[in-house]
Amino acid sequence: MYLNRSLIKILEDLGVPDDVFLELQETAVERLRMVTRSSINASTFFTRSRIGIGAQLPWFIRKLEDIGLPFQLDSFLRHTLELAVLIQLRNLKYRARIFVEEAVTLLGIMDETGILNEGEVYCVTETEEEGRYVKTGIVAVTRAPALHPGDVQVVRAVDVPPTSSLNALHNCIVFSQKGARDLPSQLSGGDLDGDLYNIIYKRSLLPRIVSKPADYPRLPSQDIGEEVKRKHMTDFFTDFMKNDQLGRIANLHQAVADQKDEGTFHPDCLLLAEKASTAVDFSKTGIRVDLRDMPKDNRYRPDFMAPGPRIELVEGKVDFNSANLSNQENEDEDESLVASRSSFRHYRSKKILGKLYRAIDEQDFFAALQNDSQRLINASSGEKTLMQRLWAYAQHQTVSIQWLHHRQWALEVKEMYEGFVVDTMSQYSLHPLQYLTELEVFVGDIVGRFGPPSQRQRDASIDMKTKFEADIAYITSCITKDEETGATSDEALPKSIACLSAAMSESSQRRHIGHLQSFAYVAAAVCLKEIDRFHKVGISDWT
């Protein structure tokens, strides 16, 4: 489970000491520092971050190490890892997205058996690594978005008798049906129609005090008085896009909570939390937020809401450009960042979010990261690149394999792959005259140039990653699968060698894009896998 700014602020107001959050963040930062130190660390990081899975990147990194080729010697792989690390570091600094091991996010359901008492939950997880585990003891339960101090409640997690049918469940939290008010509705108006709940069992993160939950009246859905037609739906969609105020309310809540001694308990914050609840339900009820009694905005913002230094991806390499904060006409960012550059004045926050923000210097961190890689490069010998040495290895391992007759076909596969990449770079760019970089597509994240990406960029990143993974899966199947049967082709190894050979030839220069590089790494991973299979099966089965 990951913490975020609004939840951290509430937990601070509920008595959780600052040191707890600072220690969690430092642990997360230290893990990022260690990522580039070894191939195992890098591979594990890619796996946990779900980066390059379709391209078999985690396996490829480990395999390179096994054959004596550290990935750090290759600029593309190095820049891929550095960008992925930077994205996570920026999520830490600008979103306080801190991972908590002793916490989980689970689907909520109701106890149909009636065995759970009021104030009890049944929380069970099951993974391949740890197996089935039922959590017991005092836990904190919350749900996003959490803005009211009562959106975090403390309950007791219990086990059930072996005969209970709840033992058939896994990866969910079961809520009691008993009591004056159900627990899900106390957590920012949650219900059990698919909502996810965060369960914290780390003792140091448990609230020292508990606030009474909010109890907002349920607003009836808007009745248009006639059968719903297409025009009603399009009109409502337009109205929703024009009047959605959730982002504005959340940003003002964050600022007011930092400025007031009472934090989220201040009346202005409680009012904003209620308005946020209305805004969340706007898409269901059609009821707009009444802005007439909104707390006055004093145009001051804490430093942690300020934009960060600008970054650019120059030839695949991350470059900080902190001097250029005025070039924002092509940026699509959250309201808080855009407005902060135009009219907000920033101050040094004395509360936990400010301390967490200032504890990370992303430019110093990134410089140290690049210095570590440079030391390894300087210590290496030889003039050949990693990919040249890998090609020599592949040729040596497959001297008996005939593959040249697939060369032209491989060039066509490479052209098809690069067409997919260019289409993705264009399709998911938020600006019609500006492409994404190949590195952003390969990593699966659109970089926020002034800090974290906006919600629009995060949504686009998810879609982009899904599409690109499907494109890579198709390319891989073209190389390894029989078109008619779908089984592994007898020509998989020769085709993969031909593709790696084609990848070694430089791509043509593309306007506004330059040379593309990533096909070489997709082809190399497939080729190494086929070489392993070749030696495992035996030469006699291939001839």
Side-chain angles (χ1 to χ4, degrees), residues 9-183:
K9 182 59 191 143
I10 290 175
L11 291 175
E12 177 191 32
D13 293 338
L14 295 179
V16 178
D18 292 356
D19 290 347
V20 175
F21 302 108
L22 291 167
E23 182 179 340
L24 283 171
Q25 179 174 273
E26 180 53 36
T27 299
V29 171
E30 186 58 31
R31 284 177 177 166
L32 290 179
R33 284 196 188 97
M34 298 299 295
V35 163
T36 60
R37 303 285 174 82
S38 72
S39 296
I40 293 297
N41 290 352
S43 175
T44 302
F45 172 77
F46 281 134
T47 300
R48 289 180 176 175
S49 304
R50 307 298 300 169
I51 293 174
I53 302 302
Q56 306 177 88
L57 190 57
W59 178 88
F60 182 57
I61 294 288
R62 293 195 305 272
K63 184 62 180 178
L64 287 176
E65 183 71 21
D66 290 343
I67 61 178
L69 298 175
F71 79 93
Q72 295 96 328
L73 301 180
D74 184 86
S75 60
F76 183 83
L77 293 176
R78 200 167 60 247
H79 294 158
T80 297
L81 182 59
E82 289 172 353
L83 178 61
V85 169
L86 178 65
I87 289 169
Q88 291 214 9
L89 184 72
R90 290 199 138 199
N91 279 333
L92 276 172
K93 182 175 179 67
Y94 297 102
R95 296 173 60 198
R97 192 170 186 268
I98 303 172
F99 180 68
V100 182
E101 288 188 356
E102 296 172 78
V104 289
T105 300
L106 299 173
L107 178 73
I109 62 175
M110 188 183 74
D111 172 24
E112 299 282 356
T113 69
I115 195 172
L116 298 177
N117 295 316
E118 182 179 6
E120 292 181 342
V121 296
Y122 178 69
C123 181
V124 57
T125 59
E126 186 172 348
T127 63
E128 291 184 4
E129 299 82 11
E130 300 179 0
R132 180 181 175 83
Y133 178 62
V134 177
K135 293 167 178 58
T136 58
I138 301 299
V139 298
V141 185
T142 184
R143 170 183 168 273
L147 296 179
H148 189 283
D151 288 340
V152 179
Q153 292 295 309
V154 175
V155 294
R156 179 174 294 277
V158 299
D159 201 352
V160 294
T163 56
S164 172
S165 58
L166 296 186
N167 285 298
L169 301 173
H170 61 273
N171 293 330
C172 64
I173 177 172
V174 184
F175 294 101
S176 171
Q177 59 177 275
K178 300 174 182 177
R181 181 183 175 189
D182 63 287
L183 181 58

Side-chain angles (χ1 to χ4, degrees), residues 16 64 78 100 133 135 157 190 207 210 232 236 242 271 309 320 370 379 386 388 394 405 479 483 487 493:
V16 178
L64 287 176
R78 200 167 60 247
V100 182
Y133 178 62
K135 293 167 178 58
V210 179
H232 294 123
F236 176 73
K242 288 169 56 180
L271 175 61
F320 283 91
Q370 292 178 320
L386 180 142
Q388 288 171 338
H405 58 293
I479 300 172
E483 292 184 7
L493 179 57

Side-chain angles (χ1 to χ4, degrees), residues 333-448:
E333 298 172 303
D334 290 331
E335 173 265 343
S336 62
L337 297 184
V338 174
S340 64
R341 282 194 292 278
S342 59
S343 59
F344 290 153
R345 299 184 65 180
H346 295 91
Y347 61 88
R348 183 183 175 93
S349 170
K350 297 180 180 179
K351 296 188 178 179
I352 183 57
L353 291 177
K355 295 175 183 178
L356 290 170
Y357 171 80
R358 292 187 297 273
I360 296 177
D361 187 322
E362 55 187 319
Q363 296 189 59
D364 284 352
F365 177 96
F366 202 68
L369 202 71
Q370 292 178 320
N371 288 338
D372 287 344
S373 297
Q374 192 60 48
R375 279 194 293 271
L376 180 60
I377 295 170
N378 294 339
S380 65
S381 59
E383 296 181 356
K384 290 185 177 181
T385 66
L386 180 142
M387 292 305 294
Q388 288 171 338
R389 293 161 67 181
L390 178 58
W391 172 237
Y393 170 85
Q395 288 179 300
H396 177 73
Q397 295 290 316
T398 59
V399 289
S400 62
I401 303 299
Q402 300 297 316
W403 58 268
L404 282 173
H405 58 293
H406 291 301
R407 170 75 178 180
Q408 183 57 42
W409 170 87
L411 289 171
E412 293 172 1
V413 171
K414 177 184 178 183
E415 184 65 27
M416 178 169 57
Y417 170 87
E418 292 186 346
F420 288 158
V421 173
V422 172
D423 286 346
T424 304
M425 292 166 67
S426 172
Q427 178 182 345
Y428 289 93
S429 173
L430 301 178
H431 318 293
L433 302 179
Q434 190 175 4
Y435 284 84
L436 296 178
T437 64
E438 181 183 20
L439 210 56
E440 287 174 290
V441 173
F442 194 73
V443 170
D445 262 301
I446 300 172
V447 177

Side-chain angles (χ1 to χ4, degrees), residues 200-216:
I200 302 172
Y201 49 96
K202 183 179 177 64
R203 292 183 61 86
S204 59
L205 268 181
L206 297 179
R208 276 48 171 179
I209 60 173
V210 179
S211 172
K212 182 179 178 181
D215 189 12
Y216 308 130

Side-chain angles (χ1 to χ4, degrees), residues 294-315:
M294 282 273 286
K296 184 177 179 181
D297 191 342
N298 61 13
R299 313 308 295 173
Y300 282 87
R301 292 291 183 267
D303 51 358
F304 60 81
M305 295 182 73
R310 183 178 178 86
I311 64 168
E312 297 287 354
L313 298 178
V314 181
E315 297 181 353

